[in-house]
Amino acid sequence: MLRALRLPALVCLLCVTAACSQSALPERAGRSAEVVAAPAPTPAPRAVAASAAGESIDFAGLVSTLSEPDASFFSENYISNETSYLQIAPALERSARPGGVYLGVGPEQNFSYIALTRPELAFVVDIRRENMLLHLLYRAVFDEATSRSHFVALLLGRPWSAESAPPADASVDQVLAHATRSPPSDATLAETHARLRARILDAYGVKLDAGDLESLAAAHRAFHKGQLELRFELHDKNGRQYPTLRELLSRTDADGRSAGFLASEPSFRFVQRLEREGRIVPVVGDFAGERALPGIAAWLREHRLEVSTFYVSNVEQYLFEPGMWARWSRNLAALPVHEESLLVRCWLDQGRRHPAQMKGHRTATTLHRMAPFVERQRTRPSPSWWAVATEDVFAPLPAQPTGARTARAAD
């Protein structure tokens, strides 16, 4: 029998790119202003080949033990709003070391990064409990899906038939077309959600209360109501049109190639296998918190695993508050990494274009090496989010001089 991997007793923030100024960020209760020194990065044990791949994961134990209390944010993140998320796909495939552990934040874009980097285990850390519940729903959908189009139909609450299903080499557009060939059905949503909810409660072991179950149902209803036209939304509407789910799933990389997790059968099946094995673990946690990231770091060291890729989105934008940046730096430095470990960042143009920002995009996604960044925070902490987002970018290459200001790109 496989030995379960368990977290020892240990004492996101969102991938939100909302159009608000730094001064408009919500206050966080209970934050102290003390400065916590970030330790120097320490190397992980070099026997990282001794992976968790042959052992079962205590999925429910990790979710419950690592998670922090719920926190609110100013947007509804059922889907991403980062149109540039595949901008770095070619470089990510070339640069990421397969295996190891992926860390991320937010909803579905994580699946594409997981498919591109091929980790053996992933943690998705987000400040909202709703995101953890959304990933439980995704796990159940992956569990039940027999194909890519079936996956989409289950998520949207649509009837689905294996007849005329697209072939294994179908494009993502063909997959979406087949998944939506039958009209949405309230009865199908109810039946589908009942099955998925039962799977979550019976098979995954995560303890959910009545509020959790309602949030789970609300997420599924949102996909059913919005279908492929579902969009990211701010709680306080600003009139901006964010990308639809269809647009996000159909995005191509900087070379014009379909590179998302639904773009190919191998990519989808890789993510599906990790989900079915409980190897994509959603955790409620603040990047500057005292429990989630420190707990993950301790667990990884115990099991001699290293972080290969950490998708931080634009979370760091919200960590430039008294004491928070030092705690984030400390948490990042505690993670076991290697010399090729990567940070994936997303810049939101709020009046200042990123040097790597592509025409027609309001976001820019960039790759950075983790170890040099951690060391720099120990000796010379970054003074601003702009500095973090523009220093030491190795992919994609900047399109214009750092610091250049131009008109805001169209959405």
Side-chain angles (χ1 to χ4, degrees), residues 226-240:
Q227 295 291 306
L228 291 177
E229 307 314 306
L230 179 67
R231 299 176 188 268
F232 165 95
E233 290 186 8
L234 295 172
H235 293 157
D236 295 327
K237 304 297 186 290
N238 63 1
R240 185 177 298 282

Side-chain angles (χ1 to χ4, degrees), residues 148 166-178 249 258 262-264:
R148 288 181 285 158
D169 61 352
S171 69
V172 66
D173 290 335
Q174 291 173 312
V175 167
L176 298 181
H178 182 266
L249 295 177
S258 294
L262 289 179
S264 72

Side-chain angles (χ1 to χ4, degrees), residues 115-126:
L116 288 165
T117 59
R118 293 294 200 269
E120 58 191 59
L121 180 66
F123 291 90
V124 179
V125 183
D126 197 292

Side-chain angles (χ1 to χ4, degrees), residues 6 43 109 120 125 135 147 207 243 259 268 271 312 328 336 353 403:
R6 298 184 180 274
Q109 69 271 52
E120 58 191 59
V125 183
H135 277 279
S147 69
K207 293 183 179 179
F268 173 74
V271 180
V312 296
W328 157 239
R353 288 180 58 86

Side-chain angles (χ1 to χ4, degrees), residues 17 49 105 197-198 238 260 277 318 395:
T17 49
V105 62
R197 168 177 155 154
N238 63 1
E277 294 176 357
Y318 308 110

Side-chain angles (χ1 to χ4, degrees), residues 177-230:
H178 182 266
T180 56
R181 62 186 301 179
S182 298
S185 162
D186 290 344
T188 300
L189 173 66
E191 293 168 3
T192 301
H193 188 74
R195 290 197 313 275
L196 298 179
R197 168 177 155 154
R199 186 186 296 270
I200 291 168
L201 293 175
D202 297 342
Y204 303 160
V206 179
K207 293 183 179 179
L208 303 180
D209 60 23
D212 291 331
L213 295 177
E214 174 51 36
S215 293
L216 198 67
H220 210 176
R221 287 196 301 267
F223 281 94
H224 184 253
K225 179 181 178 181
Q227 295 291 306
L228 291 177
E229 307 314 306
L230 179 67

